[in-house]
Amino acid sequence: PVFWQTIGEVDECLRSMGASWSVVEELQRDANESRVNQVSHSLPLSVAVQIALVNLLRSWGIHPTGVTGHSSGEVGAAYAAGAISLSAAMAIVYSRGDLTSQFQRLLDRAGGMVAVGLGRENAQAVLSRVQSGKAVIACVNSPSSVTISGDMIAIEEIEAILAQEQVFARRLKVEAAYHSHHMLPIADDYREMLSRFLQPEPGYDGGITYSSPTTGDRMYSGEEIASPEHWVRNMVQPVEFLDALRNLCVNPAETDGTPAVDLLIEVGPHGALAGPVRQTLQLPELQPAGIAYESCLTRGENAVQTMHRLVSSLVKQGYPVDLGAVNFPYSHQGIPMLTDLPTYPWNHETSYWTEPRMNRDLRTRTFAPHDLLGVA
């Protein structure tokens, strides 16, 4: 109920902004009918799920020590930290998707993105060999993974180069070249639209560590996080996820290598960042910390089961989860107790008891302890 109540609030926000579609309806479509890959729908849908999951985790007593994000995922991170409101979060992603969609229809400009199994320097070397169109490094995901964005003709040439060299390359299911020169023409309009909606949250005190993929470093000012200029930069600049994650995990105040976090939870539609996160956690400065990784949802798996699996993992690691809220989402009131269950026919033919020899000898000893002689 908490999840879908939040989705209902998101729908109200989108209607107030002029949206002609419903997040509730889109989330209930099957894979063949889904419009999640359309520019105007992808960002609001993804961030809506992130915000709803944040609220669900809060209702279970699960709160973050620090947050970071990837690309538009920084919107969900800012909401989780309390730096922006739900309505501001949806304004950031809805206006971005709407402007991008309008721009594409106006100029009929084809762009794309491709994930590449190379580090930043090696990927830059590949880009220097491109002869058709323009492409740039859009996201630095890990020490050995980047995303390239730009003109479709350049993306296709890069795929051909990497295929010949047997380097991993996977085209992303997006209709726009985010974090590239394709976003620059809408930057001014985007800044102007956001100035109508964004304002710092009065309750934000910086108590939750905020590591921004826009800057690659920690941010402390609520006014700066909630400024239109910050989100324009988030759209047009490369995503510095590698640096942001590293600066989230490392506490600058500690000189003995003590990590700032002990568990990373990916909050989103699926564990898209599992690979980059695990690669980054293998860095020499992070590997000794033994930081674990979990995901709220997994593509193709039942969402209730994946969330309960996450909760079970947190409980096992000693996190104080409110299991009453998890197991009884509609409250404890009116839940009948079963009193007429049939008796269970216990079978004692097979014994499953085992114990160490020393324990058995102590338990079955013949003589009582003696004050002088001790135990025989």
Side-chain angles (χ1 to χ4, degrees):
V2 172
F3 181 93
W4 288 107
Q5 179 182 348
T6 303
I7 295 299
E9 294 175 9
V10 168
D11 266 344
E12 291 181 10
C13 288
L14 293 182
R15 281 194 293 269
S16 68
M17 298 173 196
S20 58
W21 54 278
S22 164
V23 174
V24 173
E25 294 178 359
E26 290 300 325
L27 291 180
Q28 294 174 339
R29 294 177 184 269
D30 60 30
N32 295 326
E33 298 178 345
S34 174
R35 294 184 289 179
V36 68
N37 293 325
Q38 293 184 11
V39 174
S40 57
H41 290 57
S42 58
L43 299 184
L45 285 171
S46 179
V47 172
V49 171
Q50 292 170 10
I51 290 175
L53 288 173
V54 167
N55 286 351
L56 180 60
L57 292 172
R58 284 174 179 170
S59 72
W60 291 348
I62 302 171
H63 303 277
T65 300
V67 297
T68 190
H70 187 287
S71 187
S72 62
E74 185 179 0
V75 180
Y79 174 81
I84 60 174
S85 65
L86 183 148
S87 58
M90 297 315 300
I92 292 170
V93 289
Y94 175 74
S95 54
R96 182 181 298 188
D98 188 50
L99 284 172
T100 303
S101 179
Q102 292 181 34
F103 176 73
Q104 283 187 319
R105 288 196 299 268
L106 181 64
L107 297 185
D108 191 24
R109 189 179 190 182
M113 305 180 74
V114 59
V116 174
L118 294 173
R120 187 174 208 150
E121 292 184 2
N122 291 334
Q124 194 63 56
V126 171
L127 287 172
S128 66
R129 296 158 56 188
V130 174
Q131 299 179 354
S132 304
K134 179 181 178 181
V136 297
I137 293 177
C139 315
V140 182
N141 306 313
S142 77
S144 58
S145 171
V146 302
T147 302
I148 294 175
S149 178
D151 302 337
M152 185 60 71
I153 188 172
I155 296 297
E156 292 172 347
E157 184 177 349
I158 290 168
E159 287 179 315
I161 293 173
L162 296 179
Q164 186 176 7
E165 299 179 356
Q166 297 183 334
V167 175
F168 170 82
R170 176 174 55 84
R171 183 87 63 89
L172 302 188
K173 295 180 179 180
V174 296
E175 297 181 345
Y178 297 110
H179 307 288
S180 76
H181 54 287
H182 282 227
M183 297 291 104
L184 293 176
I186 66 172
D188 291 339
D189 289 339
Y190 188 45
R191 184 182 295 105
E192 193 277 328
M193 289 183 69
L194 292 183
S195 65
R196 306 179 213 163
F197 299 101
L198 294 188
Q199 58 182 358
E201 281 296 284
Y204 180 71
D205 59 1
I208 296 175
T209 300
Y210 188 95
S211 188
S212 170
T214 302
T215 65
D217 208 343
R218 295 189 178 193
M219 295 180 67
Y220 302 94
S221 168
E223 288 78 9
E224 187 177 356
I225 296 171
S227 68
E229 188 60 36
H230 176 74
W231 297 105
V232 171
R233 292 174 61 197
N234 173 277
M235 178 181 69
V236 300
Q237 292 184 179
V239 178
E240 303 291 350
F241 182 71
L242 169 60
D243 289 342
L245 181 59
R246 182 163 41 197
N247 286 313
L248 171 68
C249 296
V250 176
N251 191 339
E254 299 290 343
T255 58
D256 60 355
T258 302
V261 298
D262 52 15
L263 172 67
L264 297 171
I265 300 177
E266 182 169 353
V267 180
H270 57 91
L273 297 173
V277 167
R278 291 189 173 114
Q279 291 165 7
T280 302
L281 293 179
Q282 294 303 308
L283 289 170
E285 65 266 37
L286 296 180
Q287 187 176 20
I291 300 171
Y293 165 85
E294 301 280 353
S295 178
C296 286
L297 304 181
T298 302
R299 183 184 281 115
E301 294 189 30
N302 184 287
V304 174
Q305 294 180 1
T306 61
M307 289 299 291
H308 283 180
R309 186 166 63 222
L310 169 64
V311 167
S312 299
S313 177
L314 291 175
V315 171
K316 184 172 67 174
Q317 297 178 59
Y319 195 91
V321 180
D322 185 351
L323 292 179
V326 176
N327 294 322
F328 302 99
Y330 297 96
S331 83
H332 298 76
Q333 301 298 323
I335 299 177
M337 181 177 294
L338 297 177
T339 58
D340 56 349
L341 289 174
T343 57
Y344 185 81
W346 292 100
N347 185 338
H348 297 282
E349 292 181 358
T350 303
S351 175
Y352 297 98
W353 177 268
T354 183
E355 63 178 322
R357 178 187 57 80
M358 294 182 64
N359 185 79
R360 184 178 64 253
D361 292 344
L362 181 65
R363 182 174 55 82
T364 60
R365 62 192 176 189
T366 305
F367 303 101
H370 192 278
D371 291 341
L372 295 178
L373 302 178
V375 177

